[in-house]
Amino acid sequence: MSSSTKPPSIGPTLRSVPERRYEPVSGTWVVIAADRASRPHDIRTAADSPELESCAFCAGREDETTPAVATWAPLSSSSGEPWQVRIVPNLYPAFIDPSETLPLEFAESKSSKSGQPSRGYHDVVIESPRHVRRLTDLSQEECHLVFQAYRERLRQYATDPEIKVGLIFKNCGSSAGMSREHIHSQMVGLPFVPTTLQTELDRSQAHYSKFGTCLFCDLLEQEREQGERVVEETEQLIAYCPFASRFAFEIWILPKKHLFSFEDLANDSLSELSELMQRLLEKLEKQLGEPSFNYLIHTSPFDSHRKDHYHWHIEIIPRLSQLAGLELGSGIHINSVPPEAAAALLR
Amino acid sequence: MSSSTKPPSIGPTLRSVPERRYEPVSGTWVVIAADRASRPHDIRTAADSPELESCAFCAGREDETTPAVATWAPLSSSSGEPWQVRIVPNLYPAFIDPSETLPLEFAESKSSKSGQPSRGYHDVVIESPRHVRRLTDLSQEECHLVFQAYRERLRQYATDPEIKVGLIFKNCGSSAGMSREHIHSQMVGLPFVPTTLQTELDRSQAHYSKFGTCLFCDLLEQEREQGERVVEETEQLIAYCPFASRFAFEIWILPKKHLFSFEDLANDSLSELSELMQRLLEKLEKQLGEPSFNYLIHTSPFDSHRKDHYHWHIEIIPRLSQLAGLELGSGIHINSVPPEAAAALLR
């Protein structure tokens, strides 16, 4: 099921001059170049989906996946489903369970110039027993349970002394790297802090040392004051298109109160978050058809001593154009939709 | 003209355990996870091409592009073509010419919290008057001229005191961000050193301070010693699939002698380079159909005082799978083709 819609009109804009903006969390530059949206083939909307294959993620085929590491019962006993959410180790893992014994030839053949086994957890969160594709296909309660499952699995990672940090991400649509259409996310538990997070930690620590405040708290305060990029505020959360959005229609969700770790959230916060996420994805679908997108949940390492400077957050990244040579070669992202225009369309 | 071929067989491999490798130039981690190649939809081959439209890059339509900033005469007067290579400012620039006057409202409306005009050069190198797509469609002489054109335009950038560095890149195939199929590359001249290059400079400087040697010289010596990832050596150049290849079939080209800047190359070096590039792209096409790919030419900033530690190089990056949430969220690249297997297929 793929649909096709025209790219949204972003309306008249004065910003015909490409504008360079600094993104303080990653320390990189972004160029907002609205005129580029009129280039051939720049913005593509609507995900093309891989064909529906016999799906190992559907209820009744549990023996076709690796055995579940966690399972949540159906929300209603009358649904007839055996479960509501399952977490299974990825069949094609990028990281292998620290408790697993390695094949002998791997241990023996490696010299000091070689790689090392890639230890860690790599899980798939199967978010529904039904063959649906999007969070917006779930009920509010079902979506809430998905976010609870994320939290519980993170808490399990945190009990393993070898694991330093968890990352939760969703690849939805083939332009976002999705390999199966049945609704799912992925989680990794890593024995080291990866570059992207380490850069954020270094930069937020430096900001804290200099100003005595949290970089993220300062950024969200600035976005609230300026207002024009805010999409929605709830009691505890804010969603906005960041000033230096790397991607067209990029949205960040932050807790308004300073909180460093996702796994500490209470049920009421998760409920508010999952409802906000569903509304934001609905808005993106309304403007862009069914865009491919990723979302990423960034949270503090488990063993951080100081938490004053980091702030958990979610990045929603629509994948409307390809990352090309300029992005890969320079780290500069080119975004052809000003975040002010994106936010106006999404409010 | 698009073709479709099966992904290459990478043969039996012992590496069923995903392996983590450190990439010292960018300071990031790569996971080589060969088993993932059997996932659904992981490796795609053969570029789908945008429809052939009326092409503004073809000879005879020069008035449909911005005026050329440089033009090279046809190699043979009997060809009947008006030119062989043209460089024109990008019609949809991400950077605008430093000499251009900005619209008044842009200058007036900006507060200190705002962006700044994105100054710089953003050029398109139209590499043939004929409507062909790939460097392998050019004669050796024509390809040589393309590399000479890159060099000459870089030398022009270097004379502008506002411009710190140049980057040359090609987006070939729609998965690589190509927006027009007529053979072309892009060049940017930037008034600041972008993150990716700054990281390389910082890391190569640190290596030099610690060991007194060039990081790149050390890496290429190690690749020569180990041999299994070398694709080809010419008199002056080496091409190999790096130990920590981020992308399947990624190839780096380095001068074997320590040289920091591309724009200093003599004609014979450029000739050797362009022939090597054509051979490497032919080999990729033979194995992968007509894969989308980027290549990036990394060269030293123009005004660097110390050049001992940097080493110009080219990265060829096939775009066989999408960058997904794990790459975007962590900076860790997952590569499902071990570089040893890729090099063996490309030799």
Side-chain angles (χ1 to χ4, degrees):
Chain A
M1 192 186 79
S2 84
S3 66
S4 180
T5 54
K6 280 197 349 188
S9 160
I10 56 169
T13 170
L14 289 176
R15 297 172 196 272
S16 58
V17 173
E19 182 180 323
R20 179 149 70 96
R21 299 183 178 188
Y22 186 65
E23 201 293 283
V25 174
S26 57
T28 53
W29 288 97
V30 170
V31 173
I32 309 291
D35 281 1
R36 285 175 65 85
S38 49
R39 285 192 310 162
H41 312 293
D42 191 47
I43 294 273
R44 296 174 307 165
T45 58
D48 51 325
S49 65
E51 298 149 50
L52 176 58
E53 63 209 283
S54 64
C55 176
F57 290 179
C58 283
R61 292 168 171 263
E62 291 76 14
D63 57 348
E64 295 178 24
T65 65
T66 48
V69 290
T71 303
W72 283 262
L75 291 166
S76 138
S77 57
S78 65
S79 72
E81 302 289 7
W83 46 269
Q84 183 58 43
V85 173
R86 285 176 87 215
I87 300 186
V88 301
N90 196 313
L91 191 57
Y92 308 98
F95 306 94
I96 51 164
D97 194 320
S99 67
E100 218 173 284
T101 309
L102 294 179
L104 201 59
E105 82 275 8
F106 189 90
E108 279 177 351
S109 70
K110 300 292 142 181
S111 78
S112 64
K113 292 281 187 204
S114 303
Q116 43 192 293
S118 174
R119 295 289 206 175
Y121 298 103
H122 189 174
D123 295 316
V124 177
V125 184
I126 305 174
E127 298 175 345
S128 170
R130 304 190 308 278
H131 194 82
V132 294
R133 291 170 60 191
R134 301 203 155 233
L135 278 182
T136 49
D137 295 326
L138 302 185
S139 71
Q140 273 185 20
E141 273 184 311
E142 288 171 339
C143 187
H144 182 195
L145 188 62
V146 169
F147 282 80
Q148 286 178 294
Y150 294 160
R151 179 189 61 189
E152 297 315 311
R153 185 63 177 150
L154 270 189
R155 288 180 178 173
Q156 288 175 359
Y157 291 165
T159 64
D160 184 331
E162 283 200 53
I163 298 301
K164 297 278 179 288
V165 67
L167 174 70
I168 298 159
F169 59 98
K170 183 184 273 287
N171 304 335
C172 185
S174 58
S175 300
M178 175 184 77
S179 55
R180 287 184 180 274
E181 71 170 16
H182 188 120
I183 189 167
H184 70 285
S185 299
Q186 295 181 64
M187 297 183 64
V188 293
L190 302 174
F192 62 96
V193 178
T195 331
T196 303
L197 181 59
Q198 188 59 55
T199 301
E200 291 190 359
L201 290 166
D202 291 346
R203 299 187 62 83
S204 60
Q205 175 68 67
H207 184 96
Y208 191 86
S209 300
K210 189 165 173 191
F211 301 108
T213 53
C214 162
L215 170 61
F216 296 89
C217 287
D218 288 355
L219 282 172
L220 82 83
E221 206 40 61
Q222 189 177 307
E223 291 292 357
R224 286 175 93 175
E225 273 167 25
Q226 299 189 5
E228 58 180 341
R229 288 174 298 272
V230 174
V231 179
E232 188 175 339
E233 279 195 52
T234 64
E235 196 189 325
Q236 302 178 49
L237 301 162
I238 185 167
Y240 59 81
C241 299
F243 173 68
S245 291
R246 297 156 296 174
F247 296 87
F249 292 90
E250 177 175 349
I251 306 172
W252 284 26
I253 302 172
L254 279 80
K256 293 195 275 189
K257 213 175 113 187
H258 180 74
L259 286 170
F260 48 83
S261 68
F262 182 84
E263 70 271 21
D264 291 339
L265 289 182
N267 279 344
D268 70 310
S269 305
L270 286 180
S271 172
E272 200 177 309
L273 173 61
S274 59
E275 287 173 29
L276 175 61
M277 179 63 89
Q278 283 191 308
R279 283 196 301 277
L280 294 171
L281 294 176
E282 251 165 41
K283 288 170 175 185
L284 285 172
E285 288 172 11
K286 191 176 153 206
Q287 293 298 329
L288 302 169
E290 287 194 356
S292 288
F293 68 90
N294 302 105
Y295 65 64
L296 317 166
I297 303 183
H298 286 220
T299 182
S300 187
F302 300 126
D303 62 350
S304 295
H305 301 301
R306 287 284 300 276
K307 314 280 194 174
D308 307 325
H309 62 90
Y310 198 70
H311 200 119
W312 78 261
H313 60 282
I314 299 182
E315 304 176 4
I316 306 174
I317 299 178
R319 301 292 295 275
L320 307 174
S321 57
Q322 291 290 346
L323 293 171
L326 186 59
E327 284 86 357
L328 295 179
S330 71
I332 301 169
H333 283 261
I334 311 295
N335 173 1
S336 60
V337 180
E340 297 77 16
L345 284 165
L346 294 173
R347 270 194 292 264
Chain B
M1 193 186 76
S2 83
S3 66
S4 179
T5 52
K6 280 197 346 187
S9 161
I10 56 170
T13 170
L14 289 177
R15 295 172 196 275
S16 58
V17 173
E19 181 181 323
R20 181 149 70 95
R21 299 183 179 189
Y22 187 64
E23 202 294 281
V25 174
S26 58
T28 54
W29 288 96
V30 170
V31 173
I32 310 291
D35 280 0
R36 285 174 65 84
S38 49
R39 285 192 311 162
H41 311 294
D42 190 49
I43 293 275
R44 296 175 307 167
T45 58
D48 51 327
S49 65
E51 297 147 51
L52 175 58
E53 62 209 283
S54 62
C55 176
F57 289 178
C58 282
R61 292 168 171 263
E62 291 76 12
D63 58 350
E64 293 178 26
T65 65
T66 48
V69 290
T71 303
W72 283 262
L75 290 167
S76 139
S77 57
S78 65
S79 73
E81 303 288 7
W83 44 271
Q84 183 58 42
V85 173
R86 287 176 84 217
I87 300 186
V88 302
N90 196 313
L91 190 57
Y92 308 98
F95 306 94
I96 52 165
D97 196 320
S99 67
E100 221 173 281
T101 309
L102 293 180
L104 201 58
E105 82 275 8
F106 189 91
E108 279 177 353
S109 69
K110 300 292 143 184
S111 77
S112 64
K113 293 278 187 207
S114 301
Q116 43 190 295
S118 173
R119 296 291 207 174
Y121 298 104
H122 190 173
D123 296 315
V124 177
V125 184
I126 305 174
E127 298 174 347
S128 170
R130 306 190 308 279
H131 194 82
V132 294
R133 289 170 61 191
R134 299 201 158 233
L135 277 181
T136 48
D137 295 326
L138 302 185
S139 72
Q140 272 185 20
E141 274 184 310
E142 289 172 339
C143 188
H144 182 195
L145 187 62
V146 169
F147 282 80
Q148 286 179 294
Y150 293 161
R151 178 188 62 189
E152 296 316 312
R153 186 63 177 149
L154 269 189
R155 288 180 176 173
Q156 288 175 359
Y157 291 166
T159 64
D160 184 331
E162 284 200 54
I163 298 301
K164 298 278 179 290
V165 67
L167 174 70
I168 298 160
F169 59 98
K170 183 185 274 288
N171 304 333
C172 185
S174 57
S175 300
M178 176 184 77
S179 55
R180 287 182 181 277
E181 70 170 18
H182 188 118
I183 189 167
H184 69 285
S185 299
Q186 295 183 63
M187 298 182 63
V188 294
L190 301 173
F192 62 97
V193 178
T195 332
T196 303
L197 181 59
Q198 189 59 56
T199 301
E200 291 188 359
L201 291 166
D202 291 345
R203 298 185 63 82
S204 60
Q205 175 68 69
H207 184 96
Y208 191 85
S209 302
K210 191 165 171 189
F211 301 107
T213 53
C214 163
L215 169 62
F216 296 89
C217 288
D218 288 353
L219 282 172
L220 81 81
E221 207 39 61
Q222 189 177 307
E223 291 292 357
R224 285 175 93 175
E225 274 167 24
Q226 300 190 2
E228 58 179 343
R229 288 173 299 272
V230 174
V231 179
E232 187 175 340
E233 279 196 54
T234 64
E235 194 189 327
Q236 301 178 49
L237 301 162
I238 185 168
Y240 60 81
C241 298
F243 173 68
S245 292
R246 298 157 296 174
F247 297 87
F249 292 90
E250 179 174 348
I251 305 172
W252 283 27
I253 302 173
L254 278 80
K256 292 195 275 190
K257 213 176 112 185
H258 181 73
L259 286 170
F260 48 82
S261 67
F262 182 86
E263 69 270 21
D264 292 338
L265 289 183
N267 280 342
D268 70 311
S269 305
L270 286 179
S271 173
E272 200 176 309
L273 173 61
S274 59
E275 286 173 29
L276 174 61
M277 179 64 89
Q278 282 191 312
R279 282 196 302 276
L280 293 172
L281 294 177
E282 250 165 40
K283 288 170 175 186
L284 284 173
E285 288 171 11
K286 191 176 155 209
Q287 293 298 331
L288 301 170
E290 288 193 356
S292 289
F293 68 90
N294 302 105
Y295 65 64
L296 318 165
I297 303 183
H298 285 220
T299 181
S300 188
F302 301 125
D303 63 351
S304 294
H305 301 302
R306 286 284 300 276
K307 314 280 195 175
D308 306 323
H309 62 90
Y310 198 69
H311 200 118
W312 78 261
H313 61 280
I314 299 182
E315 303 175 4
I316 306 175
I317 299 178
R319 301 292 296 276
L320 306 175
S321 58
Q322 292 289 344
L323 292 172
L326 185 61
E327 283 87 354
L328 296 178
S330 69
I332 301 169
H333 283 262
I334 311 293
N335 173 1
S336 59
V337 181
E340 297 76 18
L345 284 164
L346 294 172
R347 271 195 292 263

